[in-house]
Amino acid sequence: MNSRVVIIGLDGATWTVLQPFIDDGDLPNLARLMAQGAWGELESTIPPLSAPAWSTFLTGKSPARHGVFHFVDWADGSGDGAGASIVNGASIDSPTIWDVAAHNDRKVGVINVPMSYPPRPVNGFMITGLLTPPNAAIFTHPAELSDRLDGYQIDLDRFIDAKPFAEADGGTKAKRVVKPDLELMAEFHAMEDTRARVALDLMRSEPWDIFTVVFTATDRMGHYLWPYHRRADLDGSAESEALHRSIRDFYRRMDEAIGQLSAAAGEGATVMVLSDHGMGPIYTKNTHWNNWLFGEGYVKLAKTSRRTVDGWLLRLRIPRDRLRRIAAKVPGLLKSKPVSAIKRAPTAEIDTAASTAYYERWFDPVGGIRINATGAEKEKIRDELIEELRRVVDPETGKPVARRVLKPEECLAGPYLHRAPDIVLVMEPDYGSSDRLSNYSSIVTDRPVIGDPGGHHIEGILVCAGDHIATGSGPHSGFQLEDIAPTALHLLGLAVPSDMDGRVLTEILAEDGPPVERSGPMEWWPDHETARAGPDEVADEEAVRDRLRALGYFE
């Protein structure tokens, strides 16, 4: 087997959106690939967040093996603290599929893959993606490739200082609110039209064996325009109808690009269309795990926080959410200075040394609990807590809040496993989490402010078609994002490195294909020192942080 491979990423794409468009005949090229090949749900990483997810796509490895758990560095073993440094491609502590291909004399083409900045030597060409600073002087390999990128945008710069649906509450990082409209959609159209044009130009003019391009507007639209994606969700207004038509037209354009890229790849090429995670309605309920752990005796309040707002609420047993409901009934009270001060007051601090266990947000719908114990005592506490957590239900529905309660070793593997929390919680889709230590009327309360209407879901998409793929095979289940790299390498006719966690998806392959071959672990290309050197320029990390904040990836 020695087929060229084209990978087309639709960041955040979900069957919930695609299938109705396919049923209506709007996406003929994607429908053709599905009929000619295999398709199904592709499960994202835990959590379903772009930084660890695309790193897993690139390496075929768990976040605990490549070391990227979030958009911020988890080297200290803590959560998404605002003071931590931002990760980038150099944070991936593993060779990638590009390195394996290069060591086997295969040419690569890379366009807009998140976690590819800073640009690094590849046996081919690269245009970096998300996390590229807006002022980056070099964002391609070779550097002179940038001269061919007339009008090319990595992302919309409006996401640095403005955020659709954001609530500008007067804080230091309040964002200018941008109403979702047809102008925003026109910008998405233009950005991805240019990206598709550049991809076709490079595909036709440069040598390659494995070609990857990622379109990111599908993710941005999911976050900010989710209510307009599906006809069943429209409110009947002319505005919602117009936005829905624009979104449908955008997906038609993406389908056209899929058809053009597939045709340009030539006969015999394998085409893979995938997303790093899915998308769906944002959660409407908050779970207050530290409040629950405090009530169960696991969490201890720091002495320095006893006289804070939350400290008084805990001691007096006054629910914070009920205070808000009362204030909402008095005209103007919610925006008054005293109430605004209470809303912005820092949370009560947890005495982590004295606490048996405490909750940390990761990225909804995933969070974690850290246990302050070792050895057999820790295992005993962990087992007891897991049983208790599985029994926690939403008082309104009587149904469990957590979809899965796991030990990290059940979903992660590798030398960085110690960075993960001691218990991993995967919430049901309608539940997010707050790590605030305060008093609430219930472990579950309605979310008071909903910003972005769409959020990440674990279930993404995968479609594969080509001479070496079984025809009419789908829908499948059980696909994991870490399976993409080994499957692509096998389709290239290469052995799969033994340190990849993923597997070759043999169930989608034609029956007459060769057996899967394994090799020893691969190194970076051309060598470790050159690959990890990075650019000489100083990146504008604060601008990257602002972009991620505007996109809702952390506060």
Side-chain angles (χ1 to χ4, degrees), residues 315-335:
R315 289 162 66 188
L316 298 175
R317 297 188 178 182
I318 299 174
R320 189 180 184 94
D321 54 301
R322 285 183 183 167
L323 282 178
R324 181 182 177 85
R325 287 200 296 269
I326 293 170
K329 294 179 181 179
V330 180
L333 187 57
L334 273 179
K335 295 184 178 180

Side-chain angles (χ1 to χ4, degrees), residues 110-111 124-128 139-150 198 201-202 205-206:
V110 181
I111 300 176
F125 62 88
M126 171 190 288
I127 305 170
T128 62
F139 61 96
T140 64
H141 173 84
E144 56 269 22
L145 174 58
S146 60
D147 296 336
R148 297 173 58 178
L149 304 181
D150 183 37
V198 168
D201 175 55
L202 291 171
S205 62
E206 300 294 325

Side-chain angles (χ1 to χ4, degrees), residues 453-473:
H456 293 190
H457 286 209
I458 290 175
E459 299 81 11
I461 70 155
L462 176 64
V463 180
C464 297
D467 289 352
H468 304 299
I469 304 296
T471 301
S473 176

